[in-house]
Amino acid sequence: MRHLRILLFLVLSVYSLTGLAQSTGGKITGTVTTENQKALESATISLLHAGDSSVAKINVSDKAGKFEFENIPDGKYLVMISAVGYESSYSPAEVSASSTNTKLKTVQLLPQAQSMAGVVVTAKKAPIEIRAGKTVVNVDASPTNAGLNVLEILEKSPGVAVDNDDNVSLKGKNGVLILIDGKQTYLAGAQLAAFLKSIQASSLDQIEIMTNPPAKYDASGNAGVINIKTKKGTLRGMNGNVSLTYNQGYYPKYFAGANFNYRSEKVNIFGSYDGGQWEGLGVLSIDRRFYKNSVLSGTSDQKTTRHNKANWNNLKLGFDYNFSKKDVAGIVVTGRLNPWKNWQTSTSNLRDVDGEVNTLLLSDAYNANKSNSISTNFNYKHSFDSTGREITLDLDYGYYTSRGNNFLTTRIYDPSEEQRGNTILLDGHLPSNINIYTAKTDYVHPFSKNTKLEAGLKTSFVNTDNNVRYQRDTTTGWKIDDQRTNHFVYKENVNAAYAILTHSVKKWEFTGGLRVENTNASGTQKLNDSSFNRNYTSLFPNAGAAYTINDKNQLSFAYSRRIRRPDYEDLNPFIFFLDSLTYGQGNPYLQPEFSNRIELSHTFKKFITTTVSFTQTDDIITDILKQYTEKKTTFQTKENFARMQQYGLSVSLNKQLTSWWSLNVYAGVFNNRYNGIYNDGASNTPVEIDVTGFNGNLSHSFTFAQTWAAELSGWFNSNPSEGLLIARSMGAMNAGISKQLFKKKATIKFGVRDILRTSNFKAYSRYADVDLDVFNDRRLDNRIYNVSFTYKFGKNNIAPERRRSGGSNEEQSRVKSGG
């Protein structure tokens, strides 16, 4: 109760300080009808700057065909009105000190079969928009996105980097919370990457990138939130699309997807299916140097050929029913079946200080996992009036099951290639079950057109049960390996409340929010009878302000405090083997990490934004390598290693150079400083790491001959780091060309990714007694040729969509399914 009183006090304080002053910005209003003067609902209304036809704002017409734009700076504009099946219309408009309220004449849209003489202005939705507090990627605005999957689109999005293992980072930091329509995917790690690869561009509307998300989002995700919006539920009548994609690298990879939506006045039924197969090949090389009392005692070089194969089937069905104009309820059921396999062959040479081989190890590993999940969301919304005052309720349940197998064969040889001892066989079975229950409610209360209050409550319960059973055989018979067998049970309850107040006055826009989260967690290792309990309550403030200096310059400021809780699998103390010398192990004693981030941005002429930022993260959760010098073994785990400070500078540029050529550029420089203590089990060693890295992406988009489009894009990362592993430079160049067919209902696209085969991961670690280099060579498989076909069917009149975010956002992101 004490924290809720603090929350209420802060909200009332912010509200009293900001006041309820009315904005003095200009307003543009109008009405759109069909040729028979019937009101046209859900027409797209784009407010364009008259000088360069760049998009200022976008809205849709209501049931009466009316639309309006508020808080418009002085200047000359062009209002573009469009709807599928109709010719677009353009109307000039101006806002000035003498004319703050502009009412346009009623616009009648003609069917597309008829022509409109005199229309010479062309404009389109910008591929990338910089808005207050977020960057928006409009997927359909770039025609060559056809045939790409979500991960490929993220790869070329401003500030986003995707490394060679498909991990997503944002502005130089890991720990990104990825949502689908505001709702998490129930996956993480390799399985999240596989799922994102299965979602095709034809199913997407927008991608929102937020480094300082508002308090209504879970406080998890230290680097920020990426919200992927799909097209479900947007069209009236029967609508949908189907898509087919074939990629050819070293192995073929293919995908298929379909989604449909049927919408009437009271009923909305929607569904989607994505399925496919991905197969890849890579060679992982690890060179290690071992020290004893700071003196080199030997080295090892290891080469592992990895062959990966994954399949997935994702199905979603949903139903909404409008009881009245103010009440709507719905249910969404999502099911996933994602099996994957991995074959690995390793050769490891253990050398003495002179470089002579004294031991040779040959290992073969087979890893497999079958992960299934089903999740259900029930949602309800009540609208009190037409001002936007509403309350929503979400109830979620998710069940996840994973069945993993890890079989390792090792043979040891002396320098003369004579086998020492017997062949060692290790057989592991790793079953896992996770149940997630969440409930949340959100309330929106507009006090006026310029002031709005949002508040909400949430509770979640997570139960995980992980069991592992290893058997070992050295030709004397299978025996339980007690050192590696374990049974770990983890339970967690998080209770949260938030409030956000937004207010605009003259040229200012203010946002203030506060979220409080209470966490109660317990873990038990049943076989060794050890357990822990954690209970803590944290406050997460969020604030932002934007000031429009004039029609060319805008300043904005944002601050947020966030948390990153350990993934459930990272808490699991089980062992997973790469080979006999290299393995991974969880850490049940991980604590959450907390970060504070400040950003200051300047936008010039709506197309170039410069941002400076500072982030401090305490108790950072990071991958850390530890080794046993005597045994020449190395294992990877996660620890709360250090405090990290990041200084960043980034520039984003989006410009329509000509009517047929658009340019998008992002460049960022980030300095990461780590200070921590490394413990090798015997002593503590201070570690300081200072790394400056660069990441950027660039894309040129071209349209020609009305139905053709092309794109040339690329990305480059220099010295990216997260923790103690520092990567070398890597990048890629991509190209594609697309053609619209069948009256623009279909698109066929040809493309090639990583033309120069430069996206190979290299990294090194140098600290305490750890000294190693890593190289993941995928040159045989990273140049990929693709062809895709997408076809849209059904009626074309667009109606407002209804997306449900669900309540289990943060919990789902911490579920892993092996890999």
Side-chain angles (χ1 to χ4, degrees), residues 593 617-622 639-642 644 674 722:
E593 67 175 55
T617 306
D618 296 310
D619 294 324
I620 185 169
I621 299 173
T622 186
E639 288 190 357
N640 296 103
F641 169 70
M644 189 273 278
Y674 300 87
E722 182 71 25

Side-chain angles (χ1 to χ4, degrees), residues 165 280-284 286 302-309 340-347 362-368 405-411 576-584 776 819:
D165 290 323
L281 180 71
V283 179
L284 176 67
I286 304 176
Q302 170 187 336
K303 182 172 288 187
T304 302
T305 301
R306 302 193 294 179
H307 176 196
N308 306 293
K309 188 174 183 178
W340 62 265
K341 298 178 181 179
N342 170 277
W343 297 267
Q344 299 179 154
T345 300
S346 299
T347 302
L362 298 180
S363 298
D364 293 301
Y366 170 73
N367 304 306
N405 293 284
N406 181 203
F407 190 85
L408 178 65
T409 302
T410 303
R411 294 175 295 278
F576 190 88
F577 286 91
L578 174 67
D579 55 50
S580 295
L581 299 179
T582 314
Y583 60 92
N776 192 6

Side-chain angles (χ1 to χ4, degrees), residues 310-360:
N311 297 86
W312 56 81
N313 295 275
N314 308 315
L315 180 66
K316 178 182 288 187
L317 293 173
F319 174 83
D320 291 332
Y321 185 78
N322 294 271
F323 295 93
S324 67
K325 292 183 178 180
K326 295 184 177 182
D327 296 277
V328 57
I331 186 170
V332 182
V333 179
T334 304
R336 299 187 180 98
L337 175 62
N338 304 116
W340 62 265
K341 298 178 181 179
N342 170 277
W343 297 267
Q344 299 179 154
T345 300
S346 299
T347 302
S348 301
N349 294 305
L350 303 181
R351 303 177 185 270
D352 59 26
V353 68
D354 297 320
E356 297 295 327
V357 176
N358 53 44
T359 304
L360 170 65

